[in-house]
Amino acid sequence: MQAVKSRMLRPAHIIDLQALSELKFVTSEKGLLTVGAMTRYVDIVSSDSIPLELIALKDAASRVGDRQVRNRGTIGGSLCWNYSAACTPVTVLALDGAMNLISPDGSTRQVAADDFFLGPLETARNEFEILLSVDFKLRGSKSGSAYKKWGLVTDALPVIGIAACLHFDNTDCCDYARITLTGLSGAQRCLEAEASLLSTTANTEEIAEAMMIVCSKIPTYTDSMATADYRYQLIKTIGLEVIEIAKKRAFGLG
Amino acid sequence: MAKVAIDINGRLFQEEVPERMLLVDFIRERAHLTGTHIGCTYEGVCGACTVHLDGEAVKSCMLLAAQADEHKITTVEGLAPDGELTPLQEAFKSEHGLQCGFCTAGILMNMTDFLKRYPNPSEQEIRKGLIGNLCRCTGYVHIINAVRKVVQENQLRKT
């Protein structure tokens, strides 16, 4: 709506999907969590169906804008808009969500988050496709996730936002890691940092090292909200915190 | 033009409106209920235009009037239809929760919905609940005190 009012978008038609109750649901069964595209942030925050390992979804949804915004805003709206600094895309990317899309002819397809978010304001959704829902695979015990951001005021759009999803094996070594970053140029994976955590116990030094790798690979910039150096500091600080929370949660401690 | 039927404070307004008309303008210009304010020139950041859509607090500058078709809206005028103030309104008075009053209607609407959902919030939760409303006079402390007073009164009533 803000994009329409600021003339960033000039749509010929607007179709309100709020009345489609079929697109408002959160279900968890057979190792799969599915969230309907028109599920509002407030419904995600209050849902009992979101398993602990995917709790990053609640971290993100509970900090979007303010409660009036969360009473209206939907997960699908945020994912399809894919704003350059937004909480939902970066979190869904970390949780390896899969978008279920439907075409006007009724045919459906699934697009993994890695292929869905093409860049700020760009997604793989075709012009006439509608996002129906997002699937998240559950990885079982010793899985944990978290999301955190920093903005100029509380719950503002992230200057830097980081999400993480970790899984640990029987020997308590990390065998699965996804770390994602937003605020610079949309949601992006931190692939080298993820790789550096594999086969480690993800202790504080190892996480700090992983975030140093992120800082060495990703350029930041200075603007009115933060200097380039401050953005690096945010990446290190928030990254360490988020990954430590995700790890604690994986071991049932957070 | 779009035909809409919007229930505002229990009264049905059936009007033909431009598709681009915002709900806040419908409330002010068609229903002539000017208690709902426009603080930030429709940018969705100040919260002064907060109303209830089917009982939940939303910013009426971020909705088209057409989106409220066949929905129920409550504005600040609907809180005390018979002139008897709600406990929250009384608390704003007694705790000096307002100075110029421009933001007050939006804050009352947001906090009325908030207290319905969270009857026993901590101060931190009240502060977080207020994020969507800007106030440039009070420094928020008196607003928080007013909300806390209602919470305390409700708790006392229960015991």
Side-chain angles (χ1 to χ4, degrees), chain A residues 4 40 63 65 83 96-97 101 115 128 140 151 159 193 203 212 220:
Chain A
V4 173
R40 302 174 306 166
R63 290 294 187 181
Y83 192 64
D96 195 17
L101 297 155
D115 303 319
F128 293 105
V159 170
N203 65 28
M212 287 300 289
T220 64

Side-chain angles (χ1 to χ4, degrees), chain A residues 27-87:
Chain A
T27 56
S28 180
E29 55 184 24
K30 291 179 190 158
L32 195 72
L33 175 79
T34 306
V35 182
M38 291 301 289
T39 307
R40 302 174 306 166
Y41 297 118
V42 64
D43 299 322
I44 291 173
V45 174
S46 59
S47 171
D48 297 328
S49 304
I50 295 174
L52 278 175
E53 64 176 90
L54 298 175
I55 214 78
L57 276 177
K58 288 198 182 194
D59 291 346
S62 64
R63 290 294 187 181
V64 173
D66 51 59
R67 58 188 309 276
Q68 292 101 311
V69 167
R70 294 190 290 272
N71 278 342
R72 285 291 293 175
T74 63
I75 183 171
S78 177
L79 294 175
C80 292
W81 179 231
N82 193 21
Y83 192 64
S84 54
C87 303

Side-chain angles (χ1 to χ4, degrees), chain A residues 66-68, chain B residues 45-48 50 59 110 128-134:
Chain A
D66 51 59
R67 58 188 309 276
Q68 292 101 311
Chain B
V45 296
C46 82
T50 300
K59 293 175 181 172
N110 183 21
K128 188 169 186 283
L130 277 168
I131 285 169
N133 293 88
L134 295 182

Side-chain angles (χ1 to χ4, degrees), chain B residues 91-103:
Chain B
F92 265 66
K93 214 166 95 181
S94 64
E95 297 301 309
H96 308 289
L98 64 149
Q99 284 182 37
C100 86
F102 201 89
C103 68

